[in-house]
Amino acid sequence: MTAIDNAVRNGVDTATLFATIDAVRGDTDLAKFQFRATNRWLSGTHNQSTIHGFRGAKQEMTHRQPFTFDADHPPVLVGTDNGPTPVEYLLHALAACLTAGIANIAAARGVTLTEVSSTVEGDIDLLGILGLSDEVRNGYQQIKVSFTVRGDDPEELRTIVEQSRRRSAVFDIITNSVPVSIQVSTD
Amino acid sequence: MTAIDNAVRNGVDTATLFATIDAVRGDTDLAKFQFRATNRWLSGTHNQSTIHGFRGAKQEMTHRQPFTFDADHPPVLVGTDNGPTPVEYLLHALAACLTAGIANIAAARGVTLTEVSSTVEGDIDLLGILGLSDEVRNGYQQIKVSFTVRGDDPEELRTIVEQSRRRSAVFDIITNSVPVSIQVSTD
């Protein structure tokens, strides 16, 4: 490990990052995580999730505080606009995952970033979810992410974004699908 | 349309809901929407999205206010825990979408709900995103949603959840995949 590997760069403690990866390499069970959200319906399309506890590194943990988020539909979709729609939260998740990866990978490669900003656009035809067409899918037909990335090694920036895409959890979930099981209790 | 169809039930204005569906049936271009999120990197794995404008019903619209959300990694993942992880936001999006659908569908069917609550759990093996295995995927291996639903027609509640699943945008995105394109500007 060279001196540059030990630097805090882009706000990333690279020494701790590399030590964490080494620890997981030595005990792969540390890598098994379970994340959770609990949700409560409030009224109409308005509901609220809380995110607090998760399991990982062979122990039960919590975030430093419970985080709560309201979701709703806007008036044009017969809601009361108390928060973004669920599909907008999904775009946020994608942008956030790719951006965190860019910062980590740049730090690991010794590249100092000055800006990472992005716009994510998702095109959706609501004929699906409104039940007006069986040929139109319910979800987004396509998603486009537009990044602006600036840093001290312009040649390397595109390969950093590409590596973040290759290792992004949310990108994988959206582009490769995940099995979802639903259980219902009515007791 | 019967009297019951005109009721506000579960906080859902069913008359407006049915009128909206009728309007879209008459002009299907009204159903074409584009949702957006903009994201800005702050430091390390900490970044923030803003959700405000969207396009739909043949016009540019905004939510009644800009909504902002912080994402980060917890300390165990070398972050500063200024918000949930991106993959937790995705669980929230799934719960919120299914729950909004349950409220709408129950209202449309004349079923009054008294409770909809859920826990969503996503299992993930971080060997993928840490670059320690090419056989382990980056995203969730499976997601489990556990609903408790109560209302005045217990027999109907399970079929309402099933219909919400069949028409959920986020469920479709996660289980059936969406193409994502990424553009990068380094100017």
Side-chain angles (χ1 to χ4, degrees):
Chain A
M1 192 173 281
T2 65
I4 204 166
D5 293 326
N6 286 297
V8 173
R9 190 182 301 272
N10 304 329
V12 177
D13 181 343
T14 54
T16 301
L17 180 61
F18 290 132
T20 300
I21 292 172
D22 281 344
V24 174
R25 187 182 286 117
D27 182 355
T28 54
D29 280 351
L30 291 169
K32 293 181 166 56
F33 275 63
Q34 181 183 76
F35 290 107
R36 303 175 200 127
T38 59
N39 183 279
R40 190 169 59 96
W41 171 64
L42 296 171
S43 179
T45 51
H46 181 203
N47 57 77
Q48 186 180 71
S49 289
T50 300
I51 294 169
H52 193 206
F54 60 96
R55 186 168 178 81
K58 303 203 253 191
Q59 58 196 294
E60 187 66 23
M61 284 182 275
T62 57
H63 289 288
R64 64 178 182 184
Q65 63 177 82
F67 298 110
T68 63
F69 304 99
D70 290 81
D72 200 351
H73 288 186
V76 68
L77 298 175
V78 202
T80 44
D81 213 11
N82 288 293
T85 61
V87 288
E88 289 170 304
Y89 275 108
L90 187 132
L91 301 180
H92 158 54
L94 178 60
C97 192
L98 291 167
T99 299
I102 290 168
N104 271 342
I105 293 161
R109 294 185 181 184
V111 175
T112 299
L113 299 171
T114 54
E115 178 185 349
V116 184
S117 57
S118 60
T119 299
V120 188
E121 300 168 322
D123 296 316
I124 189 168
D125 186 333
L126 301 185
L127 293 180
I129 66 171
L130 292 174
L132 294 174
S133 169
D134 286 331
E135 275 116 64
V136 174
R137 70 177 297 173
N138 297 313
Y140 287 124
Q141 297 172 311
Q142 60 206 9
I143 296 172
K144 186 172 114 181
V145 187
S146 303
F147 271 108
T148 297
V149 185
R150 293 192 173 90
D152 68 357
D153 187 347
E155 295 291 305
E156 184 76 357
L157 297 175
R158 287 175 192 278
T159 68
I160 290 169
V161 175
E162 170 56 18
Q163 181 62 17
S164 179
R165 184 195 66 74
R166 288 190 59 241
R167 287 299 180 193
S168 165
V170 176
F171 183 89
D172 174 36
I173 293 165
I174 294 176
T175 60
N176 291 322
S177 87
V178 176
V180 176
S181 66
I182 301 180
Q183 298 182 341
V184 184
S185 168
T186 58
D187 295 340
Chain B
M1 194 174 278
T2 65
I4 204 167
D5 292 327
N6 287 296
V8 173
R9 189 183 301 272
N10 303 328
V12 177
D13 182 342
T14 54
T16 301
L17 180 60
F18 290 133
T20 299
I21 293 172
D22 281 344
V24 174
R25 188 182 286 117
D27 182 356
T28 54
D29 280 351
L30 291 168
K32 293 182 167 56
F33 275 63
Q34 181 182 76
F35 290 108
R36 303 174 199 127
T38 59
N39 183 279
R40 191 169 58 97
W41 171 63
L42 296 172
S43 179
T45 51
H46 181 205
N47 57 77
Q48 186 180 72
S49 290
T50 299
I51 294 169
H52 193 208
F54 61 95
R55 186 170 177 81
K58 304 204 255 191
Q59 58 195 294
E60 189 65 24
M61 285 182 277
T62 58
H63 289 289
R64 64 179 182 183
Q65 63 177 83
F67 298 110
T68 64
F69 304 100
D70 289 82
D72 200 351
H73 289 187
V76 68
L77 298 175
V78 201
T80 46
D81 213 12
N82 288 292
T85 61
V87 288
E88 290 170 302
Y89 276 109
L90 187 132
L91 301 180
H92 158 55
L94 178 60
C97 193
L98 290 167
T99 299
I102 290 168
N104 271 341
I105 293 162
R109 294 184 180 186
V111 175
T112 299
L113 299 171
T114 54
E115 178 185 349
V116 184
S117 57
S118 59
T119 298
V120 188
E121 301 168 321
D123 296 317
I124 189 167
D125 187 331
L126 302 185
L127 293 181
I129 66 171
L130 291 174
L132 294 173
S133 170
D134 285 329
E135 274 115 65
V136 174
R137 70 177 297 173
N138 297 314
Y140 288 124
Q141 297 172 311
Q142 59 205 8
I143 296 173
K144 186 172 113 182
V145 188
S146 303
F147 271 108
T148 297
V149 186
R150 293 192 172 90
D152 67 359
D153 186 348
E155 295 292 304
E156 183 76 356
L157 296 175
R158 287 176 193 280
T159 68
I160 290 169
V161 175
E162 170 57 17
Q163 181 62 18
S164 179
R165 184 195 66 72
R166 288 189 59 242
R167 287 299 180 193
S168 165
V170 176
F171 183 89
D172 174 36
I173 293 165
I174 293 176
T175 60
N176 292 321
S177 87
V178 175
V180 176
S181 67
I182 301 179
Q183 299 182 341
V184 184
S185 167
T186 58
D187 296 339

